[in-house]
């Protein structure tokens, strides 16, 4: 997988930019506030439909404008090049892949596999389950393509059940069978993914941190109970709170070390390395299972890492043989070798050098 060309319109401080990107290493350098991270956000939007810095896509629109657009040409396989377009307009968010509008962000994820390692990545360890569910599901989208359809249908059925819990609680159970059937499938796909991940995880977290950190999958409802039964059992609570309390939307992957949650034990820098290990391990698994090497965005990669850990980090990243797009404050940065293309960003203007 690699991004060949990119056109950006009205993303934060970038009014317009066009880039041709090599399959190897791209360096994007510029002063603080010049627009480097904004450029990575634009690339991330193409494959994820959201930013890694904000949940609110409207904030990405350049001040004074009413829309943003990102268009990319993506090499998906030797013979397959697709155009992907993503827009945020006053009418909402829309995406097209190869001329067809996409139904969900999950579909976009499949069209352009992109991952990011950025200064906020430690939140994957530190914060609540939703980031880890997203981390897990993104990988499952790639190793098991039919999962996307199941996931979309589950999300829809869950929304309908929750809407019924608000408007006609007594009728909400009409959705239980569908929620349970799809929910069990999602939980099983995630379990398989986490099982398959374990050897890659052990190897990667040891190489990066030297720590013993375990990932443990929690599926989102009582162990040993079929989801249909769990839904029935939690119905009084669901009706009272107008929410579905059991199901894979409550899943998590716990991150533990020394018998305690990693976020309580590890420093910020160590959490960053653990989160990097989660990301690198899943990229290794994707490569092994599906031959996909996602594009990897590295925003300010050296932040918070001492020399020895930075060296281990670089080794792990280079082994992935992914397309790399790296930001730096200086044009001389050679952390990942000498770049195949270099761009300078200044006040939102992107120039090939
Ligand atoms: N919606 C927006 N419209 C215009 N400018 C914005 C918007 N959001 C952020 N900016 C500006 O974009 C600039 C570039 O930010 P950023 O990409 O984070 O820079 P860098 O990563 O190079 O340090 C910042 O100065 C910020 O004030
Ligand atoms: Mg930045």
């Amino acid at each position: 997988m690699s991004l060949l060309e990119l056109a950006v319109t009205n993303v934060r401080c970038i009014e317009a930019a066009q880039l041709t990107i090599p399959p190897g290493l791209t360096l994007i350098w510029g002063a603080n506030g010049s627009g480097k991270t904004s450029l990575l956000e634009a690339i991330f939007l193409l494959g994820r439909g959201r930013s890694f810095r904000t949940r609110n896509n409207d904030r990405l629109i350049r001040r004074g404008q009413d829309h943003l657009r990102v268009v990319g040409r993506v090499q998906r396989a030797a013979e397959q090049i697709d155009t992907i377009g993503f827009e945020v307009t006053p009418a909402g968010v829309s995406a097209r892949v190869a001329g067809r509008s996409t139904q969900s962000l999950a579909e976009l994820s499949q069209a352009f596999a992109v991952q990011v390692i950025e200064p906020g990545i430690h939140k994957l360890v530190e914060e609540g389950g939703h980031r880890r569910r997203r981390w897990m599901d993104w990988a499952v989208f790639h190793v098991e393509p039919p999962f996307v359809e199941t996931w979309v249908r589950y999300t829809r059925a869950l929304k309908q059940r929750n809407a019924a819990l608000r408007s006609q609680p007594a009728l909400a159970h009409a959705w239980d069978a569908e929620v349970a059937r799809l929910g069990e499938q999602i939980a099983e796909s995630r379990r398989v993914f986490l099982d398959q991940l374990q050897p890659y995880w052990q190897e990667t977290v040891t190489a990066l941190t030297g720590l013993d950190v375990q990932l443990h999958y929690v599926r989102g409802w009582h162990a040993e109970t079929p989801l249909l039964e769990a839904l029935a059992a939690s119905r009084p609570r669901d009706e009272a709170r107008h929410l579905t309390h059991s199901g894979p939307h409550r899943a998590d992957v716990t991150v533990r070390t020394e018998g305690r949650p990693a976020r309580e034990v590890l420093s910020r820098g160590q959490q960053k390395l653990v989160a990097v290990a989660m990301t690198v391990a899943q990229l290794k698994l994707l490569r092994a299972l599906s031959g996909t090497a996602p594009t990897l965005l590295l925003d300010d990669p050296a932040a918070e890492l001492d020399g020895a850990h930075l060296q281990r980090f670089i080794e792990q990243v280079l082994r992935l043989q992914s397309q790399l797009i790296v930001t730096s404050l200086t044009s001389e940065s050679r952390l990942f070798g000498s770049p195949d293309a270099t761009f300078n960003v200044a006040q939102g203007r992107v120039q090939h050098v």
Side-chain angles (χ1 to χ4, degrees), residues 90-147:
V93 167
S94 64
R96 296 178 78 77
V97 176
R100 212 171 56 82
S101 59
T102 56
Q103 300 306 305
S104 81
L105 299 182
E107 255 181 80
L108 206 57
S109 288
Q110 283 185 322
F112 175 41
V114 58
Q115 258 298 8
V116 64
I117 292 175
E118 47 95 29
I121 194 171
H122 64 279
K123 292 178 193 160
L124 190 57
V125 174
E126 192 181 65
E127 291 191 355
H130 76 276
R131 286 174 190 272
R132 289 182 294 276
R133 283 193 293 279
R134 202 155 59 206
W135 164 80
M136 175 161 63
D137 288 344
W138 179 81
V140 186
F141 290 155
H142 289 282
V143 294
E144 191 193 321
F147 178 80

Side-chain angles (χ1 to χ4, degrees), residues 36-37 53 299:
K36 302 180 297 297
T37 303
R53 277 204 288 197
D299 195 16

Side-chain angles (χ1 to χ4, degrees), residues 10-14 28-41 53 57-65 299-300 327-329 345 347-348:
N10 290 337
V11 175
R12 294 201 193 265
C13 63
I14 303 173
I28 296 169
W29 74 276
N32 289 324
S34 58
K36 302 180 297 297
T37 303
S38 305
L39 193 56
L40 296 192
E41 281 179 295
R53 277 204 288 197
N57 279 334
D58 291 336
R59 297 226 181 108
L60 303 174
I61 300 176
R62 200 163 78 93
R63 271 190 287 280
Q65 304 298 311
D299 195 16
D300 198 3
T327 67
S328 165
L329 290 169
V345 190
Q347 293 170 341

Side-chain angles (χ1 to χ4, degrees), residues 30-201:
N32 289 324
S34 58
K36 302 180 297 297
T37 303
S38 305
L39 193 56
L40 296 192
E41 281 179 295
I43 297 171
F44 196 76
L45 278 177
L46 263 191
R48 298 296 192 94
R50 49 183 298 284
S51 161
F52 49 84
R53 277 204 288 197
T54 171
R55 286 208 265 183
N56 186 347
N57 279 334
D58 291 336
R59 297 226 181 108
L60 303 174
I61 300 176
R62 200 163 78 93
R63 271 190 287 280
Q65 304 298 311
D66 69 349
H67 76 284
L68 70 77
R69 183 181 309 123
V70 187
V71 180
R73 297 220 312 139
V74 173
Q75 179 115 41
R76 294 176 73 175
E79 303 280 294
Q80 191 186 1
I81 296 175
D82 280 341
T83 299
I84 304 178
F86 181 84
E87 280 189 339
V88 182
T89 67
V93 167
S94 64
R96 296 178 78 77
V97 176
R100 212 171 56 82
S101 59
T102 56
Q103 300 306 305
S104 81
L105 299 182
E107 255 181 80
L108 206 57
S109 288
Q110 283 185 322
F112 175 41
V114 58
Q115 258 298 8
V116 64
I117 292 175
E118 47 95 29
I121 194 171
H122 64 279
K123 292 178 193 160
L124 190 57
V125 174
E126 192 181 65
E127 291 191 355
H130 76 276
R131 286 174 190 272
R132 289 182 294 276
R133 283 193 293 279
R134 202 155 59 206
W135 164 80
M136 175 161 63
D137 288 344
W138 179 81
V140 186
F141 290 155
H142 289 282
V143 294
E144 191 193 321
F147 178 80
V148 170
E149 172 78 18
T150 311
W151 190 90
V152 169
R153 288 168 61 195
Y154 175 79
T155 307
R156 199 181 301 145
L158 179 67
K159 262 193 197 144
Q160 282 165 323
R161 188 180 194 270
N162 285 339
L165 284 168
R166 285 189 299 271
S167 59
Q168 298 170 291
L171 299 181
H173 69 269
W175 296 101
D176 286 12
E178 178 86 342
V179 167
R181 186 177 61 81
L182 297 165
E184 296 273 5
Q185 285 178 33
I186 287 174
E188 179 59 12
S189 298
R190 287 170 171 172
R191 185 194 63 75
V192 169
F193 158 70
L194 264 145
D195 277 356
Q196 290 172 320
L197 186 71
Q198 289 303 335
Y200 299 93
W201 164 251

